[in-house]
Amino acid sequence: MTTTVDTTRALDRERGLALLRQMTLIRRFEEKCVQLYSAGTIRGFVHLYIGEEAVAAGAMRALTPDDAVVSTYREHGHALARGIPTRAVMAEMFGKVEGCSGGRGGSMHLFDVGSRFYGGNAIVAGGLPLALGLALADDMRGRDAVTACFFGDGAVAEGEFHETLNLAALWRLPVLFLCENNLYAMGTAIERAQSQTDVALRASSYEMPAWSVDGMDVLAVEDATRAAAEAVRAGGGPHFLELRTYRFRAHSLYDPDRYRTKDEIRQWMQRDPLPAFVERMRAAGSLTDADVTAIEDEVAAEITDAVDYAQSGHEEPVTSLTRWVYSDAGAGT
Amino acid sequence: MTTTVDTTRALDRERGLALLRQMTLIRRFEEKCVQLYSAGTIRGFVHLYIGEEAVAAGAMRALTPDDAVVSTYREHGHALARGIPTRAVMAEMFGKVEGCSGGRGGSMHLFDVGSRFYGGNAIVAGGLPLALGLALADDMRGRDAVTACFFGDGAVAEGEFHETLNLAALWRLPVLFLCENNLYAMGTAIERAQSQTDVALRASSYEMPAWSVDGMDVLAVEDATRAAAEAVRAGGGPHFLELRTYRFRAHSLYDPDRYRTKDEIRQWMQRDPLPAFVERMRAAGSLTDADVTAIEDEVAAEITDAVDYAQSGHEEPVTSLTRWVYSDAGAGT
Amino acid sequence: MNTTYREAIRSALSEALESDDRVFLMGEDVGRYGGCFAVSLGLLEQFGPDRIRDAPLSESAFVGAGVGAAMAGMRPIVEIMTVNFSLLALDQIMNNAATLLHMSGGQCAVPLVLRIPTGGGRQVAAQHSHSLDGWFAHIPGLRVVTPATLEDARGMLATALADPDPVLIFEHASLYPMSGSLDDDAGPVDLDRAAVRRHGTDVSLITYGGTLPMTVEAATTLQDDGIDAEVIDLRTLRPLDEATVLESVSRTHRAVIVDEGWRSGSISAEVSARIIEGAFYELDAPVARVCSAEVPMPYAHQLEQAALPSADRVVAAAREVVGAHG
Amino acid sequence: MNTTYREAIRSALSEALESDDRVFLMGEDVGRYGGCFAVSLGLLEQFGPDRIRDAPLSESAFVGAGVGAAMAGMRPIVEIMTVNFSLLALDQIMNNAATLLHMSGGQCAVPLVLRIPTGGGRQVAAQHSHSLDGWFAHIPGLRVVTPATLEDARGMLATALADPDPVLIFEHASLYPMSGSLDDDAGPVDLDRAAVRRHGTDVSLITYGGTLPMTVEAATTLQDDGIDAEVIDLRTLRPLDEATVLESVSRTHRAVIVDEGWRSGSISAEVSARIIEGAFYELDAPVARVCSAEVPMPYAHQLEQAALPSADRVVAAAREVVGAHG
Ligand SMILES: Cc1ncc(C[n+]2csc(CCOP(=O)(O)OP(=O)(O)O)c2C)c(N)n1
Ligand SMILES: Cc1ncc(C[n+]2csc(CCOP(=O)(O)OP(=O)(O)O)c2C)c(N)n1
Ligand SMILES: [Mg+2]
Ligand SMILES: [Mg+2]
C-alpha cells in the first residue's frame, strides 16, 4: 500500500515557515554537532539525522502535547521537533547537568518526560514494547493519547517488532508505529535483511492499517501522520506508517560508509527535503529570500546560544555518581 | 490458503497399515504413560499428544533418514514416528541410562542424533533457530536434506518465530516449518493470542509458500508434507504447513483444563484420527477386524516390552552427575 | 488463619488490585487458566480481563509493556510464568527497566513488579529448573526479593508496589504448597532487612528462598550434635543487607551459605566476599558454601537430588566449618 | 611482527577460515560493513558472502542458527556486535548452546564460538557499556575466555574452534587498537591456565580482559612504593584456574581483584570466595576488590571514569591491603 492521504491541504505560509524552521534547526544543530565532535567536545556514539528531517518535523507537528513519543538513538531531530529546548539538548550532548537527561544519557538517550518524550533508546527495537506499555496505560486510564513510536527499517527484523505489533493489534492499543525506512541498518541494505522488503505490507499482516509515505516530503509526512493519529485516537487501534527516507551521512560518526555507492547517495541528496521544500514554498509564493535568511539567522543564533549554554553548564560532581540508580538515593547495593 | 495437495493417492494397504500402526503405537504409549505417571514412575512435566497422532505419523513418513527433525516438549509422537525405539523412549520417561537421552532429558527432551532427531525443546519457539542452523549447515555442506521443524500455534507469537521465518526465507534455507495448530497455547485460545489467526497467511507474509492442512487426516498430512518437503528439496526455499489439530487431553498432566468447554472437546473427539482412519480403510476395503486386532496386540506387546525394558534399566550413579556438562568430562568449573 | 504460601500471594494480589486501580496483573495464562501454579485462580472473575490480562507467548513484549505502563503511572505486576523464560525478556529487564531512571537523569521511574516463579526439584529438567534469583541480583537498578515464609509471601508484594523502582519477586515453586498460620492482619513487610530465623551462637547458616526450610531443618539436626546454628534468611538479594550478615558472623565466627544457584558466580560468592571484606578478622574458619552442582538440571530423580542442596549437605558443611581450627 | 589486537584477531579468523571449510563467520555487519570494530574488514572479499555472512538484526535467531549449525558439524563463529545485545540471545545461549549436550545425554555437542566485544570507557552510555563477561561465566556448559594480550587475541580463536563445546570469547573494545609485537609463528594458546603477567611477592593483583593494562600499570607504580605486586591474568573465567590463583595468593598472602563488572555478583566475588575456600589460612589481609560502580554507565566523561576501575584505584586498594595487619 502507498499513501492515499490528501496532501493538497493548503500550504499556508505559517505552517510552511514553521516546518522549514524546524527542519533547518535540526540540520544546523547536527552540523554543529559534527564540528563539536571533531573538537572532542561531544563524545560517544552520535547518529546523524541529516537527510531525514522531514520525518521528525512533519510527524511531530501532527501530535498533541498529550501524546507520548518513543524514539531511537538517532533522535536529535525527534527531540528538537518535540520541543525539547535546543539548549537542553545541546547541554546533553556535552554531558552537562543542564542537559535534558542531566548529562547521563548523551546523544542516544535524550529524555523529556514533561513533553512525554520517553527517550532515545539505543537497543534496536527495544523501544517498541515500551510504546505498547505507554499506550496500554493511557488506554486503561481513559486518556485520549496516542503513543508515537519511531524505529528504523533494521528494527523490523527483530523479534520485539513482531511481538509488539501483534500485541498492539490484538489489544487494539493506541500506538502509531512510525518506521523510518532509510534503506539501511548500518551497512546492511534492507533487501539483504528482510525477505519482505515492503515494510507496510509486512505491518498490515498484523491486521493493522499501514501506509507508505514519502519521507522526503514534509507535508506528506505531516498529513499522513495526522490522518493516522486521528484514526488511532478515534479508537481505530494501532496504525503503521512507513516513512521512506535516506540518511545522507554515515551510520554514526564512527562509520567509514563503505557499503553504499557515492552515486546512490548523490541521487538521494537531489531529494534533500530542505531545498525541496524551500523550492515548493517559493513556487507557491509563500516564501521570500528574506524569510530564508531570517530563519537561518534565527536558527544560527539559537544554536550559538545553545552551545554557550552547554559550555557554561556544570559537570556533575563524581560524588553523586550513583544518583538515579534508585529513586530513593539512599537505596544501596 | 488451504491445501491443494492431492490426497486421492492410492490408499494402499501397506501404507494404511503402517500409518494406523504408528498412530496406535503413539496413542497406547501415552495411555500407558498416564498410568505410570499416576503411579509416580514417570515424573516431571508430561505433555500428551493424544488427538494429534495423525500429524506425527503422517509427516514423519514423508521425511527421509537424511532429513533433520526439531521438536517440542510435546514430542512423544514425533520421537516414536521418527523411529526411535519404543524401549529407548520409555526408558527415558523412567529416567534410566538406557533412555534415548540417557535419562537426563525426560519426557520433554527426547533426543536421537542417529536419526537426526535433534530433540524435544521445552522453550516455546526455542527450536526454530536451531532448525535454521541445521538447514544452513546442510545447505553449506551441499547435503540433500530438509530440516522439519515442529512447533505449536503458541510459538507463532514469539519473536523467535519472526526472526527465524524471515531468515529462512531471506537465505532460502531448506526448512520445512510444521505448525501444529491445536488452537490453544496452554489455556490461551489462538484468537486471544494472535491478531492474525490464519497462521498460514501469517507465514506467507514472509514470502514463503504456506498451506493449511487437516491435521486429523493422516493421509492429507503425509501427502502435504511430502509435497512440501519435495519442493524444499528441489531448492524452493523454506515451506510452511499449518496442521489443524486438537489435543484431547489437558495441556500437561498438571493442567485442570478449565479454559475449554466439554462440548468443544467432545466435538473434536468425534474427529479422532484413529477411528476415522480405521473407518476409511475399512470403507476402502483395505482393513479387516483381524488387522485391527493384530495391530493392537502387536502394539500392546511392544509397550509391555518397553516398560519391562525401562523397569529393568539402570539408574545412573550420582557420581557421574556432572558428566555431559562438557564433552571432555575432565573440564571442570 | 491457616493458609498456604500460594494463598498468601493470592490474597496479597487481591488486596493490591482492590486498593489501587493502577494495579493490574499481566502474564501468560494468569487469567483463564488461573495461573500456571494456580496462584491467580479466581482473580479474573473478580477483576475482569483488563486487569487480569492474559498475554500471548511474547515475553519480551509484555515485560517491556509492563515497563512502559509503569512509566506512564500504572503499577503493573507482570508474571513471567517461570524464571526459565525470563531470558527472553532480559533485554527489557536490564536495558530498560533497570536503566531508564538513570539514563533519563531521574525522570523515568519504573514502578514495575515482576513476579517470577523459580527453582528446581520437580524433575522438570534442564530448561525448566533454573535458580537465577541471585544472578539477577547483579543488575543495578533492580531490587530482588525472595519470599521464603508465609509472612513474606503475603507482605512483600504491597511493599514492592509501593517502591518507585522495579522489584523482582522470586517465588520458589516448591514453596507454593507450604502451609502454616498467618496473622489475620498480616500486611506489608519491609524489603530492606535480612531476618534471623533462628538464633544461634556457633555458626551462621545464610540462605534465602527455596532453601530456607532445609536450612532450618539442618539447624535442628545440628542441635543434636551440640552445634547451635543461627539461620539468616537474606530475604532481599539486592540490595544485600550486609549489616545483618556481618553482625551474625561476628558473633558466630563461622559461616555457611546455602544457595540453590549454580555455585560459580552465584550470590553465595558475593555474600562470601562481603563477609571477607567486612568480618575477616572475626572469622575462625573459611566461609563454606552449599550450592547447586554446576550442571544443567538432569531429569532423573537421583541425579536431580544430588545436584541440589540438601539438609544433609548443609549439616556436613556446618560440621566441617565448626570443626575447623581458628 | 608489529601488529594490533584487532589485526591479531583478524589474522586468526583468516587462518581459521582458510584451514577448515567448516568454519564460517556470521553476525551483524561482519561483511559489507567490515565489522562494527573493523575486525573482519577484508574477509568478505577473501571468503565470500556465504562464509562471511551478514545477518539482520535478529540476535536470537542467528545465535540459535549458530548452535544448530554447530550441531550439524559446522564450526560457526558468531559475532554478537557487542555484549549489550547478547541479552536478546540469552535464551539460545543458556537454554540451548550450554544445555543441549547435557540434556541429550551426550549426543548433541555444540562446537560454537561466540565472539563478543565488551566493556565501557568510550562514553557510549547505559545501553552500550556492559561488562558481562563474568556474568556469563555463571553458566555451566560454556567456556568463557577473555583475551587481554596480542598472543591471546591471536591464539585463543583456534583453540576455541578446536573445543567440542561452546566458547564465548569476550574482546574488550578498548583493546582493539593496542599495538605491540607478536611472534611471526604465534599460534594456538591453551585456554586452561591463568597467566602470571608479572611476578611479585607482596600482593597478588588478579584481573582479566580490559583491565589488564591498568593493573600492570598499577603494579609498576606500586614498585616505586616498594610494593612488589604479582599480576595474574585469569584469561579464562569459566572454568576458573583456581590453582594458579591459590598458588600466587599462598605466596603473597594478599590479594586484590580488579574487575570491570558491576561489583555485586561479579566474577570478582567468585574469585574472592575461592580464595577464602582454598587459601584462608594463608591470607594476611582481607581480599579486596576494585570493580565498576553499581550504576548503569553514565555518558558524562567524569562520571564514567569515576564508575570504572582505574590504576589509581588499584594502587590504593593494594596499598591498603599491604598495610593491613595480618
Ligand atoms: C539489538 C541491537 N543490535 C544491534 C545494534 C547495533 N546497531 C545500532 S543501530 C543499528 C542499525 C539499525 O538500523 P535501523 O533500524 O534501520 O535504523 P537507522 O540506524 O537506519 O536509523 C545497529 C545494527 C543495536 N543498537 N541494538
Ligand atoms: C518461552 C516459553 N514461555 C512459556 C512457556 C510455558 N509453556 C509451555 S507450553 C506453552 C504453550 C505452548 O502452546 P503451543 O505452542 O500452541 O503448543 P502446544 O502446547 O499447544 O502443543 C507454554 C505457555 C515455555 N515453555 N516457553
Ligand atoms: Mg535504517
Ligand atoms: Mg497449541
Side-chain angles (χ1 to χ4, degrees):
Chain A
M1 265 179 275
T2 48
T3 176
T4 53
V5 169
D6 177 13
T7 55
T8 57
R9 205 158 168 276
L11 173 47
D12 65 79
R13 184 174 147 78
E14 200 187 341
R15 179 186 179 208
L17 288 177
L19 287 167
L20 181 59
R21 191 185 187 292
Q22 188 63 73
M23 291 195 288
T24 307
L25 175 67
I26 298 171
R27 176 72 54 95
R28 304 296 168 240
F29 181 92
E30 291 201 325
E31 287 167 350
K32 175 53 83 179
C33 287
V34 177
Q35 285 174 25
L36 292 163
Y37 194 86
S38 305
T41 310
I42 295 175
R43 306 293 299 273
F45 285 145
V46 172
H47 304 85
L48 298 180
Y49 198 61
I50 290 177
E52 309 188 25
E53 295 90 343
V55 176
M60 231 43 109
R61 245 180 87 90
L63 302 179
T64 75
D66 288 342
D67 294 337
V69 181
V70 171
S71 181
T72 68
Y73 47 87
R74 193 182 301 289
E75 91 285 35
H76 309 146
H78 304 148
L80 292 168
R82 183 60 181 173
I84 310 185
T86 310
R87 286 179 155 195
V89 178
M90 188 59 88
E92 189 59 34
M93 306 292 293
F94 278 60
K96 297 295 180 71
V97 174
E98 290 78 3
C100 61
S101 305
R104 303 214 166 219
S107 164
M108 300 196 289
H109 305 300
L110 306 173
F111 279 82
D112 181 40
V113 169
S115 61
R116 302 204 76 194
F117 191 84
Y118 290 103
N121 204 300
I123 302 298
V124 171
L128 277 81
L130 299 184
L132 194 67
L134 290 163
L136 176 61
D138 286 341
D139 197 51
M140 289 181 82
R141 305 310 275 172
R143 294 187 200 118
D144 190 28
V146 171
T147 297
C149 178
F150 289 91
F151 53 92
D153 50 289
V156 175
E158 289 281 7
E160 290 186 331
F161 169 89
H162 171 71
E163 295 184 2
T164 301
L165 264 72
N166 178 48
L167 268 169
L170 183 72
W171 291 346
R172 290 185 68 78
L173 295 178
V175 186
L176 176 54
F177 294 100
L178 298 167
C179 178
E180 305 185 307
N181 182 359
N182 60 12
L183 302 177
Y184 288 88
M186 285 187 64
T188 304
I190 185 164
E191 62 272 13
R192 296 199 304 121
Q194 277 155 48
S195 65
Q196 170 55 270
T197 54
D198 185 335
V199 173
L201 191 61
R202 153 134 321 295
S204 68
S205 81
Y206 296 89
E207 302 281 282
M208 79 174 71
W211 311 304
S212 295
V213 183
D214 179 358
M216 304 310 254
D217 178 345
V218 69
L219 297 178
V221 172
E222 184 186 341
D223 290 346
T225 310
R226 195 176 303 279
E230 271 164 23
V232 174
R233 217 180 300 280
H239 281 57
F240 187 102
L241 294 184
E242 177 200 5
L243 303 144
R244 297 193 174 164
T245 182
Y246 198 80
R247 63 171 158 74
F248 295 168
R249 303 297 182 96
H251 169 72
S252 75
L253 293 177
Y254 273 167
D255 168 18
D257 210 339
R258 294 189 189 88
Y259 44 83
R260 309 186 293 186
T261 64
K262 294 256 177 315
D263 226 50
E264 178 181 304
I265 301 174
R266 226 179 343 250
Q267 269 176 19
W268 274 95
M269 287 180 76
Q270 313 263 305
R271 304 199 49 218
D272 188 331
L274 271 95
F277 191 57
V278 165
E279 211 37 66
R280 184 160 167 187
M281 282 191 69
R282 274 217 179 92
S286 347
L287 191 77
T288 65
D289 285 355
D291 290 333
V292 174
T293 312
I295 285 178
E296 290 287 2
D297 288 352
E298 258 178 65
V299 162
E302 183 168 337
I303 288 169
T304 306
D305 168 72
V307 172
D308 289 349
Y309 177 80
Q311 214 120 41
S312 62
H314 299 84
E315 291 192 352
E316 185 163 350
V318 300
T319 47
S320 55
L321 171 62
T322 58
R323 221 173 130 204
W324 303 134
V325 182
Y326 297 95
S327 297
D328 164 11
T333 50
Chain B
M1 263 182 275
T2 48
T3 177
T4 54
V5 170
D6 177 12
T7 53
T8 57
R9 204 160 171 276
L11 173 45
D12 64 79
R13 186 175 145 78
E14 198 187 342
R15 179 185 179 209
L17 288 177
L19 287 167
L20 181 60
R21 190 185 188 292
Q22 188 64 73
M23 292 195 287
T24 307
L25 175 66
I26 299 171
R27 176 74 53 97
R28 303 295 168 242
F29 181 91
E30 291 201 325
E31 287 167 349
K32 175 53 82 178
C33 287
V34 176
Q35 285 173 24
L36 291 163
Y37 194 86
S38 304
T41 309
I42 295 176
R43 306 292 298 273
F45 286 144
V46 172
H47 304 86
L48 299 180
Y49 197 60
I50 291 177
E52 310 188 25
E53 294 90 343
V55 176
M60 229 45 108
R61 245 180 87 89
L63 302 179
T64 75
D66 288 342
D67 294 336
V69 181
V70 172
S71 181
T72 68
Y73 47 87
R74 192 182 302 288
E75 91 285 33
H76 309 145
H78 305 147
L80 292 169
R82 183 61 181 171
I84 310 186
T86 309
R87 285 180 156 194
V89 178
M90 189 59 87
E92 189 58 36
M93 306 292 293
F94 277 60
K96 297 293 179 73
V97 175
E98 290 78 3
C100 60
S101 305
R104 303 213 167 221
S107 164
M108 302 196 287
H109 305 299
L110 306 173
F111 280 82
D112 181 40
V113 169
S115 62
R116 301 203 78 196
F117 191 84
Y118 289 103
N121 204 301
I123 303 298
V124 171
L128 278 81
L130 299 183
L132 194 67
L134 291 163
L136 176 61
D138 287 340
D139 197 51
M140 290 181 81
R141 304 312 274 171
R143 293 187 202 118
D144 190 29
V146 171
T147 297
C149 179
F150 289 90
F151 53 92
D153 50 289
V156 175
E158 289 281 7
E160 290 186 331
F161 169 88
H162 171 71
E163 295 185 2
T164 301
L165 264 72
N166 179 47
L167 267 168
L170 183 72
W171 292 346
R172 291 185 67 79
L173 295 178
V175 185
L176 176 55
F177 293 101
L178 297 168
C179 177
E180 305 186 305
N181 183 0
N182 60 13
L183 302 177
Y184 288 86
M186 285 187 63
T188 304
I190 185 163
E191 63 272 12
R192 297 199 303 121
Q194 279 157 48
S195 65
Q196 170 56 271
T197 52
D198 184 335
V199 173
L201 191 61
R202 154 135 320 296
S204 68
S205 81
Y206 295 89
E207 303 279 284
M208 80 174 70
W211 311 305
S212 294
V213 183
D214 180 358
M216 305 309 256
D217 177 346
V218 69
L219 297 178
V221 172
E222 184 186 343
D223 291 345
T225 308
R226 194 176 302 279
E230 271 163 23
V232 174
R233 216 181 299 280
H239 280 57
F240 186 103
L241 295 184
E242 178 201 4
L243 304 143
R244 297 194 174 162
T245 181
Y246 197 80
R247 61 170 160 73
F248 294 169
R249 302 296 181 98
H251 168 73
S252 74
L253 293 178
Y254 273 167
D255 168 16
D257 211 339
R258 293 190 190 91
Y259 43 83
R260 311 185 291 187
T261 63
K262 293 257 176 321
D263 226 50
E264 179 182 304
I265 301 173
R266 225 180 345 250
Q267 268 176 19
W268 274 95
M269 287 180 75
Q270 313 264 302
R271 303 200 47 220
D272 188 330
L274 272 94
F277 191 56
V278 165
E279 210 36 65
R280 187 160 163 186
M281 282 190 69
R282 275 218 178 91
S286 348
L287 192 77
T288 65
D289 284 356
D291 292 331
V292 175
T293 311
I295 286 178
E296 290 285 3
D297 288 351
E298 259 177 65
V299 162
E302 182 167 340
I303 288 169
T304 304
D305 169 71
V307 172
D308 288 348
Y309 178 79
Q311 214 120 38
S312 62
H314 299 85
E315 290 195 351
E316 184 163 350
V318 299
T319 47
S320 55
L321 171 64
T322 58
R323 220 172 132 204
W324 304 133
V325 182
Y326 297 95
S327 296
D328 163 12
T333 50
Chain C
M1 173 175 54
N2 242 298
T3 189
T4 62
Y5 186 90
R6 173 185 287 115
E7 285 163 10
I9 296 172
R10 188 185 303 143
S11 88
L13 285 167
S14 176
E15 184 182 82
L17 286 154
E18 249 164 32
S19 64
D20 185 344
D21 66 3
R22 297 170 308 170
V23 172
F24 64 102
L25 175 68
M26 172 164 62
E28 289 160 14
D29 288 308
V30 295
R32 272 295 260 288
Y33 191 98
C36 167
F37 294 99
V39 169
S40 48
L41 194 64
L43 296 181
L44 173 67
E45 291 67 23
Q46 205 179 337
F47 298 102
D50 269 9
R51 298 185 67 204
I52 306 296
R53 186 173 283 266
D54 277 326
L57 279 143
S58 302
E59 285 79 3
S60 199
F62 72 73
V63 170
V67 177
M71 288 200 299
M74 301 297 285
R75 291 294 177 276
I77 303 170
V78 176
E79 177 179 308
I80 298 180
M81 190 181 273
T82 71
V83 68
N84 319 287
F85 319 136
S86 68
L87 300 174
L88 290 161
L90 249 170
D91 171 53
Q92 289 298 325
I93 296 172
M94 192 188 294
N95 282 325
N96 282 337
T99 303
L100 279 159
L101 178 71
H102 183 263
M103 76 185 174
S104 66
Q107 294 177 79
C108 282
V110 181
L112 169 71
V113 173
L114 289 179
R115 288 184 44 240
I116 314 182
T118 185
R122 295 169 301 128
Q123 283 192 257
V124 290
Q127 293 182 329
H128 276 69
S129 304
H130 301 100
S131 288
L132 300 176
D133 329 7
W135 201 54
F136 274 93
H138 181 53
I139 307 171
L142 303 182
R143 184 184 282 272
V144 176
V145 305
T146 55
T149 64
L150 297 181
E151 287 71 21
D152 282 350
R154 180 64 179 80
M156 281 183 162
L157 182 73
T159 320
L161 283 166
D163 196 298
D165 301 315
V167 180
L168 276 55
I169 305 181
F170 283 92
E171 302 165 6
H172 198 289
S174 71
L175 297 175
Y176 286 127
M178 180 174 75
S179 65
S181 80
L182 186 65
D183 276 0
D184 284 344
D185 61 351
V189 294
D190 86 282
L191 298 182
D192 297 318
R193 303 298 307 276
V196 179
R197 298 292 181 203
R198 182 184 198 279
H199 290 274
T201 53
D202 298 336
V203 57
S204 303
L205 309 180
I206 303 161
T207 193
Y208 65 91
T211 43
L212 179 61
M214 75 178 62
T215 305
V216 171
E217 184 192 330
T220 310
T221 307
L222 287 164
Q223 193 68 62
D224 300 339
D225 288 11
I227 298 174
D228 186 19
E230 177 143 314
V231 176
I232 294 185
D233 173 4
L234 291 168
R235 299 182 67 243
T236 293
L237 303 187
R238 184 176 188 96
L240 274 177
D241 174 13
E242 193 177 295
T244 298
V245 171
L246 296 182
E247 189 280 326
S248 171
V249 175
S250 299
R251 274 189 290 102
T252 63
H253 310 293
R254 291 171 156 89
V256 175
I257 308 162
V258 185
D259 181 353
E260 197 184 294
W262 292 308
R263 179 178 150 115
S264 290
S266 62
I267 192 77
S268 71
E270 181 62 29
V271 175
S272 176
R274 299 275 187 107
I275 292 172
I276 292 314
E277 285 153 15
F280 179 71
Y281 299 107
E282 301 292 343
L283 279 178
D284 285 346
V287 177
R289 295 188 284 166
V290 176
C291 302
S292 278
E294 310 214 33
V295 51
M297 198 60 80
Y299 163 67
H301 180 68
Q302 78 282 6
L303 296 178
E304 178 173 49
Q305 288 306 309
L308 291 166
S310 65
D312 285 350
R313 288 176 58 205
V314 178
V315 167
R319 282 192 187 130
E320 191 169 324
V321 162
V322 172
H325 61 96
Chain D
M1 173 176 54
N2 241 299
T3 191
T4 62
Y5 185 92
R6 175 186 286 113
E7 286 161 10
I9 296 172
R10 189 185 303 141
S11 87
L13 285 167
S14 177
E15 185 182 81
L17 286 153
E18 250 163 30
S19 64
D20 186 344
D21 67 2
R22 297 170 307 171
V23 172
F24 64 102
L25 175 67
M26 172 164 61
E28 288 160 15
D29 287 308
V30 294
R32 273 295 261 288
Y33 191 97
C36 167
F37 294 98
V39 169
S40 49
L41 194 65
L43 297 182
L44 174 67
E45 291 68 23
Q46 206 180 334
F47 298 102
D50 268 9
R51 299 185 66 205
I52 307 296
R53 186 174 284 265
D54 278 326
L57 281 143
S58 302
E59 285 80 4
S60 199
F62 71 74
V63 169
V67 177
M71 287 199 300
M74 300 297 285
R75 290 294 177 275
I77 304 170
V78 176
E79 177 179 307
I80 298 179
M81 188 181 274
T82 71
V83 68
N84 318 286
F85 319 136
S86 67
L87 301 174
L88 290 160
L90 250 170
D91 170 53
Q92 288 299 325
I93 296 172
M94 192 187 295
N95 282 325
N96 282 339
T99 304
L100 278 160
L101 177 71
H102 184 264
M103 75 186 175
S104 66
Q107 293 178 79
C108 281
V110 181
L112 168 71
V113 173
L114 289 178
R115 287 184 44 240
I116 315 183
T118 183
R122 296 169 302 127
Q123 283 194 256
V124 291
Q127 292 182 329
H128 276 70
S129 304
H130 301 101
S131 289
L132 300 177
D133 329 8
W135 201 54
F136 274 93
H138 181 53
I139 307 172
L142 303 182
R143 183 184 281 274
V144 175
V145 304
T146 56
T149 64
L150 297 181
E151 286 73 20
D152 282 350
R154 180 65 180 80
M156 280 183 163
L157 183 73
T159 320
L161 282 166
D163 196 296
D165 300 315
V167 180
L168 276 55
I169 305 182
F170 283 93
E171 304 165 4
H172 197 288
S174 72
L175 296 175
Y176 286 126
M178 181 174 74
S179 63
S181 78
L182 186 66
D183 277 0
D184 284 345
D185 60 352
V189 295
D190 85 282
L191 298 181
D192 295 318
R193 303 297 308 274
V196 179
R197 298 292 181 201
R198 183 186 197 279
H199 290 274
T201 53
D202 297 338
V203 58
S204 302
L205 309 180
I206 303 160
T207 192
Y208 67 90
T211 44
L212 178 62
M214 75 178 62
T215 304
V216 171
E217 184 193 330
T220 312
T221 306
L222 288 164
Q223 192 67 62
D224 300 340
D225 289 12
I227 298 175
D228 186 21
E230 177 144 312
V231 176
I232 294 185
D233 174 3
L234 291 169
R235 298 181 68 244
T236 292
L237 303 188
R238 184 177 188 95
L240 274 177
D241 173 14
E242 194 177 295
T244 298
V245 171
L246 296 181
E247 188 281 325
S248 172
V249 174
S250 298
R251 275 188 290 101
T252 64
H253 310 294
R254 292 171 156 89
V256 176
I257 308 162
V258 184
D259 181 354
E260 197 183 294
W262 292 308
R263 179 177 151 116
S264 291
S266 61
I267 191 78
S268 70
E270 181 63 29
V271 175
S272 178
R274 299 275 187 107
I275 292 173
I276 292 314
E277 286 154 15
F280 178 72
Y281 300 106
E282 300 294 342
L283 279 178
D284 284 347
V287 177
R289 293 188 286 166
V290 176
C291 301
S292 279
E294 309 215 32
V295 49
M297 199 60 82
Y299 164 66
H301 179 68
Q302 78 284 3
L303 296 179
E304 179 174 47
Q305 287 306 308
L308 291 165
S310 65
D312 285 352
R313 288 176 57 205
V314 177
V315 167
R319 282 193 187 129
E320 192 169 323
V321 162
V322 173
H325 61 93

